[in-house]
């Protein structure tokens, strides 16, 4: 799947930019993921890749308890889109795929 790997995300919220890492992988042919940020790790749910459009949901507890719904478009090693939390305005999301550094294996 072209989305698999680790993605460095930046979410522009009303309280400032939030940095996070989203990891996507295939398990038995199903796309799953985990988000890492603010010192916590949360599973992603309802991960769906439809062409170049990727959507998922996740719950966060920091900086406040929210249920987020992401909708992004993948273009090679970058993604752009939005994150929506209930009735709050959508926040802009950008991201870049982490690539392996030549010769280091990381």
């Amino acid at each position: 799947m072209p989305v698999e790997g680790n993605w460095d995300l930046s979410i522009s919220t009303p309280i400032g930019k939030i940095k996070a890492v989203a990891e996507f992988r295939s398990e038995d042919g199903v796309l799953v993921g985990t988000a890492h940020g603010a010192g916590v790790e949360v599973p992603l749910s309802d991960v769906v890749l439809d062409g170049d459009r990727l959507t998922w949901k996740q719950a966060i507890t920091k900086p406040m308890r929210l249920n987020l719904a992401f909708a992004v478009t993948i273009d090679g090693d970058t993604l752009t889109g939005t994150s929506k939390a209930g009735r709050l305005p959508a926040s802009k999301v950008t991201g870049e795929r982490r690539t392996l550094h030549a010769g280091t294996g990381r």
Side-chain angles (χ1 to χ4, degrees):
M1 288 184 190
V3 73
E4 286 184 286
N6 292 320
W7 295 78
D8 290 312
L9 304 180
S10 178
I11 306 160
S12 298
T13 74
I15 61 169
K17 284 196 178 201
I18 296 174
K19 301 285 187 182
V21 176
E23 175 191 349
F24 298 98
R25 64 194 176 282
S26 178
E27 289 183 359
D28 298 323
V30 176
L31 193 58
V32 297
T34 308
H36 311 266
V40 297
E41 180 177 308
V42 296
L44 307 181
S45 63
D46 301 329
V47 181
V48 176
L49 180 63
D50 183 10
D52 62 355
R53 182 174 163 83
L54 176 67
T55 58
W56 74 90
K57 295 177 182 173
Q58 71 183 78
I60 62 168
T61 57
K62 292 180 182 178
M64 62 182 59
R65 189 175 301 273
L66 294 170
N67 291 314
L68 304 177
F70 286 80
V72 300
T73 301
I74 306 286
D75 184 8
D77 289 334
T78 62
L79 61 78
T80 56
T82 60
S83 170
K84 186 105 171 77
R87 297 181 187 188
L88 296 174
S91 296
K92 181 180 175 185
V93 177
T94 59
E96 290 187 3
R97 184 192 316 260
R98 287 187 179 177
T99 56
L100 297 177
H101 296 291
T104 66
R106 314 186 288 165

